[in-house]
Amino acid sequence: MPELPEVETIIRELRAKISGKELRELFIFDKRIGRLRVSLPLKITGVDRHGKFIVIHSSRGKILLHLRMSGRLQFSEKGKSKRSHKSERAIFVFGDGSVLKFFDPRRFGTIEWRKGKLPELGLNPLGPEFTYKNFRDILHSRSRTIKNLLLDQKIVAGLGNIYVDESLWFAKINPRRKSDSFSDMEIKRLRTAIVQVLKEAIRRGGFTLRDYKKTTGKKGSYQLFRKAYSREGLPCSRCRSRIKRIKIGGRGTYFCPKCQA
DNA sequence: CCCATGTCCTGCCAGC
DNA sequence: TGCTGGCAGGACATGG
């Protein structure tokens, strides 16, 4: 389930590996993932992250990849452009013979071609616009459960189920709280928690529980550091109470019932 | 508009 | 052992 830190890890690897290369061929094996009507070859000029989108820049437009839940990219310097696995949905072949494979067992991932603007998203939590004031204005202008609000990409772009639970744990905020009920102190704590959690997760190369892996096939390590997500019944590392799991908006939600009362 | 819920999809796993 | 049902979740559609 790639979220901002996982996507950031992936784009840093991709940037180093495919910038400046020529995209010679693109095979898409599953129509559901998207159709890319663009003439090849294409010169890759850079790779960026936009929320959870991977943006591959070229001189004529951008390729947007979204991994959704189970999407994974695997890069090899010398690879075959033949499909060798059931969950392989697309293969990018570069001028030097290296290949990038898009695996996605659950088939929610997408590939699209964009000439103009990128999709509109909310605040970038690692950008200069994620100020206390901007964040407070958004929280106070809505009356939603904080868990749902933070999952909304049009509010803050890049958080998913894991990092929302982790951030709320650090901020000591109950995931069921309504966003318009927050004090200034709580908003400051939450803002700081989000930034710190995301930075630490990037430093650790993301969170690997099942699907997510880096483009080299290696795992991230944030799961070893996690405080709430997928820790049901285990002791809270602050107060030793047992972490609880509830459902909010259909999403599994982990929190400490004592510190996040 | 605002907010919550249902849906897409496949692999995995608990329980019988 | 083999089957079944439930669950996982990002984003979008739908409906109140």
Short mmCIF file of all heavy atoms in Angstrom, two decimals, chain A residues 6 25 36-37 63 69 72 76 104 128 153 155-156 166 169 171 177 185 193 209 213-214 219 221 231 237 254:
data_model
loop_
_atom_site.label_atom_id
_atom_site.label_comp_id
_atom_site.label_asym_id
_atom_site.label_seq_id
_atom_site.Cartn_x
_atom_site.Cartn_y
_atom_site.Cartn_z
N GLU A 6 6.70 5.66 0.58
CA GLU A 6 7.03 4.58 -0.35
C GLU A 6 7.22 5.15 -1.77
O GLU A 6 8.17 4.80 -2.46
CB GLU A 6 5.92 3.52 -0.35
CG GLU A 6 5.84 2.69 0.93
CD GLU A 6 5.25 3.45 2.10
OE1 GLU A 6 4.42 4.35 1.87
OE2 GLU A 6 5.63 3.17 3.26
N GLU A 25 10.32 1.23 -25.68
CA GLU A 25 9.07 0.49 -25.85
C GLU A 25 8.29 0.45 -24.55
O GLU A 25 8.87 0.48 -23.46
CB GLU A 25 9.37 -0.95 -26.28
CG GLU A 25 9.74 -1.08 -27.75
CD GLU A 25 9.97 -2.53 -28.13
OE1 GLU A 25 11.00 -3.07 -27.70
OE2 GLU A 25 9.11 -3.10 -28.81
N LEU A 36 -1.96 4.01 -23.31
CA LEU A 36 -1.04 5.11 -23.51
C LEU A 36 -0.80 5.27 -25.00
O LEU A 36 -0.01 4.53 -25.56
CB LEU A 36 0.27 4.81 -22.77
CG LEU A 36 0.83 5.96 -21.97
CD1 LEU A 36 -0.04 6.21 -20.77
CD2 LEU A 36 2.24 5.66 -21.52
N ARG A 37 -1.54 6.22 -25.60
CA ARG A 37 -1.31 6.40 -27.02
C ARG A 37 -0.29 7.51 -27.21
O ARG A 37 -0.62 8.69 -27.24
CB ARG A 37 -2.62 6.72 -27.74
CG ARG A 37 -2.95 5.59 -28.71
CD ARG A 37 -4.23 5.87 -29.43
NE ARG A 37 -5.36 5.72 -28.54
CZ ARG A 37 -6.62 5.83 -28.95
NH1 ARG A 37 -6.88 6.11 -30.22
NH2 ARG A 37 -7.61 5.67 -28.11
N ILE A 63 4.27 10.84 -18.06
CA ILE A 63 3.61 9.56 -17.78
C ILE A 63 3.32 9.55 -16.28
O ILE A 63 4.22 9.73 -15.47
CB ILE A 63 4.51 8.37 -18.16
CG1 ILE A 63 4.78 8.38 -19.67
CG2 ILE A 63 3.85 7.06 -17.74
CD1 ILE A 63 5.84 7.38 -20.10
N MET A 69 -2.99 0.08 -4.38
CA MET A 69 -2.70 -0.76 -3.22
C MET A 69 -1.56 -1.74 -3.40
O MET A 69 -0.71 -1.89 -2.54
CB MET A 69 -3.94 -1.52 -2.84
CG MET A 69 -4.56 -0.88 -1.67
SD MET A 69 -6.23 -0.49 -1.87
CE MET A 69 -6.87 -1.88 -2.61
N ARG A 72 3.65 -2.40 -7.80
CA ARG A 72 5.06 -2.47 -7.46
C ARG A 72 5.88 -2.31 -8.72
O ARG A 72 5.49 -2.82 -9.78
CB ARG A 72 5.34 -3.84 -6.83
CG ARG A 72 6.70 -4.05 -6.26
CD ARG A 72 6.72 -5.28 -5.36
NE ARG A 72 6.55 -6.53 -6.09
CZ ARG A 72 7.50 -7.09 -6.85
NH1 ARG A 72 8.67 -6.50 -6.97
NH2 ARG A 72 7.28 -8.22 -7.47
N SER A 76 15.43 -3.64 -13.65
CA SER A 76 16.66 -4.41 -13.88
C SER A 76 17.46 -3.83 -15.03
O SER A 76 16.91 -3.38 -16.03
CB SER A 76 16.40 -5.90 -14.16
OG SER A 76 15.06 -6.16 -14.39
N ASP A 104 1.12 -5.77 -10.43
CA ASP A 104 -0.04 -5.30 -9.67
C ASP A 104 -1.12 -6.38 -9.57
O ASP A 104 -2.06 -6.40 -10.34
CB ASP A 104 -0.63 -4.04 -10.32
CG ASP A 104 -1.71 -3.41 -9.45
OD1 ASP A 104 -1.84 -3.80 -8.27
OD2 ASP A 104 -2.41 -2.52 -9.95
N PRO A 128 6.45 23.77 1.53
CA PRO A 128 6.40 25.01 2.33
C PRO A 128 4.96 25.44 2.63
O PRO A 128 4.74 26.22 3.56
CB PRO A 128 7.11 26.03 1.44
CG PRO A 128 7.05 25.46 0.06
CD PRO A 128 7.04 23.98 0.21
N GLN A 153 -7.14 12.93 -0.30
CA GLN A 153 -5.99 13.48 -1.01
C GLN A 153 -6.17 14.95 -1.40
O GLN A 153 -5.21 15.63 -1.73
CB GLN A 153 -5.68 12.64 -2.26
CG GLN A 153 -5.38 11.19 -1.93
CD GLN A 153 -4.22 11.04 -0.98
OE1 GLN A 153 -3.09 11.40 -1.29
NE2 GLN A 153 -4.47 10.50 0.22
N ILE A 155 -7.23 17.13 0.66
CA ILE A 155 -6.97 17.89 1.88
C ILE A 155 -5.46 17.95 2.12
O ILE A 155 -4.85 18.99 2.07
CB ILE A 155 -7.68 17.25 3.10
CG1 ILE A 155 -9.19 17.13 2.84
CG2 ILE A 155 -7.37 18.01 4.37
CD1 ILE A 155 -9.97 18.40 2.87
N VAL A 156 -4.87 16.79 2.40
CA VAL A 156 -3.42 16.66 2.50
C VAL A 156 -3.04 15.51 1.56
O VAL A 156 -3.63 14.44 1.64
CB VAL A 156 -2.97 16.33 3.93
CG1 VAL A 156 -1.45 16.16 4.00
CG2 VAL A 156 -3.40 17.42 4.90
N GLU A 166 -0.29 6.33 12.35
CA GLU A 166 0.99 6.63 13.01
C GLU A 166 1.04 8.09 13.48
O GLU A 166 1.44 8.38 14.60
CB GLU A 166 2.15 6.35 12.06
CG GLU A 166 2.36 4.87 11.73
CD GLU A 166 2.69 4.02 12.96
OE1 GLU A 166 3.62 4.38 13.69
OE2 GLU A 166 1.98 3.02 13.18
N TRP A 169 -1.21 8.72 16.43
CA TRP A 169 -0.61 8.17 17.65
C TRP A 169 0.41 9.14 18.24
O TRP A 169 0.38 9.46 19.42
CB TRP A 169 0.05 6.80 17.37
CG TRP A 169 0.61 6.17 18.61
CD1 TRP A 169 -0.03 5.33 19.48
CD2 TRP A 169 1.94 6.34 19.15
NE1 TRP A 169 0.81 4.98 20.53
CE2 TRP A 169 2.01 5.58 20.34
CE3 TRP A 169 3.06 7.07 18.75
CZ2 TRP A 169 3.18 5.53 21.12
CZ3 TRP A 169 4.22 7.02 19.53
CH2 TRP A 169 4.26 6.25 20.71
N ALA A 171 0.61 12.30 17.79
CA ALA A 171 -0.05 13.55 18.24
C ALA A 171 -0.99 13.31 19.41
O ALA A 171 -1.55 14.27 19.95
CB ALA A 171 -0.81 14.16 17.07
N ARG A 177 -12.16 11.78 16.48
CA ARG A 177 -12.45 13.20 16.74
C ARG A 177 -12.83 13.93 15.46
O ARG A 177 -12.34 13.64 14.38
CB ARG A 177 -11.20 13.87 17.33
CG ARG A 177 -10.91 13.49 18.77
CD ARG A 177 -11.65 14.37 19.75
NE ARG A 177 -11.34 15.79 19.55
CZ ARG A 177 -10.21 16.38 19.94
NH1 ARG A 177 -9.26 15.70 20.54
NH2 ARG A 177 -10.03 17.67 19.72
N MET A 185 -3.19 23.81 20.10
CA MET A 185 -2.12 22.90 20.53
C MET A 185 -2.18 21.57 19.78
O MET A 185 -1.16 21.05 19.33
CB MET A 185 -2.28 22.60 22.04
CG MET A 185 -1.33 23.33 22.97
SD MET A 185 0.22 23.76 22.26
CE MET A 185 1.28 22.73 23.24
N ALA A 193 3.62 15.97 13.97
CA ALA A 193 3.64 14.50 13.92
C ALA A 193 3.65 14.02 12.47
O ALA A 193 4.43 13.12 12.11
CB ALA A 193 2.44 13.93 14.66
N LEU A 209 4.77 -4.51 4.70
CA LEU A 209 4.08 -5.54 5.45
C LEU A 209 3.86 -6.74 4.54
O LEU A 209 4.19 -7.86 4.87
CB LEU A 209 2.76 -5.02 6.01
CG LEU A 209 2.31 -5.68 7.30
CD1 LEU A 209 3.38 -5.60 8.37
CD2 LEU A 209 1.02 -5.06 7.79
N LYS A 213 7.53 -3.17 -2.14
CA LYS A 213 8.98 -3.34 -2.18
C LYS A 213 9.56 -2.21 -3.02
O LYS A 213 8.87 -1.60 -3.81
CB LYS A 213 9.34 -4.69 -2.82
CG LYS A 213 9.00 -5.89 -1.95
CD LYS A 213 9.78 -7.13 -2.41
CE LYS A 213 9.48 -8.34 -1.53
NZ LYS A 213 8.21 -9.00 -1.92
N LYS A 214 10.84 -1.95 -2.83
CA LYS A 214 11.51 -0.92 -3.62
C LYS A 214 11.75 -1.44 -5.03
O LYS A 214 11.52 -2.61 -5.31
CB LYS A 214 12.83 -0.55 -2.94
CG LYS A 214 12.65 -0.11 -1.49
CD LYS A 214 13.89 0.58 -0.98
CE LYS A 214 14.34 -0.02 0.33
NZ LYS A 214 15.50 0.72 0.87
N LYS A 219 13.07 -4.56 0.81
CA LYS A 219 11.99 -4.07 1.67
C LYS A 219 12.37 -2.77 2.34
O LYS A 219 13.56 -2.50 2.55
CB LYS A 219 11.69 -5.11 2.76
CG LYS A 219 11.17 -6.42 2.22
CD LYS A 219 11.00 -7.42 3.37
CE LYS A 219 10.39 -8.72 2.85
NZ LYS A 219 10.12 -9.65 3.93
N SER A 221 11.84 -0.44 6.01
CA SER A 221 11.96 -0.91 7.40
C SER A 221 11.11 -0.13 8.39
O SER A 221 11.24 -0.33 9.59
CB SER A 221 13.42 -0.89 7.83
OG SER A 221 13.85 0.45 7.99
N ARG A 231 -0.78 -3.20 15.03
CA ARG A 231 -0.22 -3.62 16.32
C ARG A 231 -1.32 -3.99 17.31
O ARG A 231 -1.14 -3.87 18.52
CB ARG A 231 0.68 -2.52 16.91
CG ARG A 231 1.97 -2.28 16.15
CD ARG A 231 2.97 -1.48 16.96
NE ARG A 231 3.57 -2.27 18.01
CZ ARG A 231 3.44 -2.02 19.31
NH1 ARG A 231 2.72 -1.01 19.73
NH2 ARG A 231 4.01 -2.80 20.20
N SER A 237 3.80 1.79 23.08
CA SER A 237 5.18 1.99 23.54
C SER A 237 5.31 3.21 24.45
O SER A 237 6.38 3.44 25.01
CB SER A 237 6.15 2.05 22.36
OG SER A 237 5.74 2.99 21.43
N TYR A 254 -6.00 1.76 13.94
CA TYR A 254 -5.30 1.32 15.15
C TYR A 254 -4.95 2.54 15.99
O TYR A 254 -4.46 3.54 15.47
CB TYR A 254 -4.03 0.58 14.77
CG TYR A 254 -4.26 -0.65 13.93
CD1 TYR A 254 -4.36 -0.55 12.54
CD2 TYR A 254 -4.39 -1.91 14.51
CE1 TYR A 254 -4.58 -1.68 11.76
CE2 TYR A 254 -4.60 -3.04 13.73
CZ TYR A 254 -4.70 -2.92 12.36
OH TYR A 254 -4.92 -4.03 11.60
#
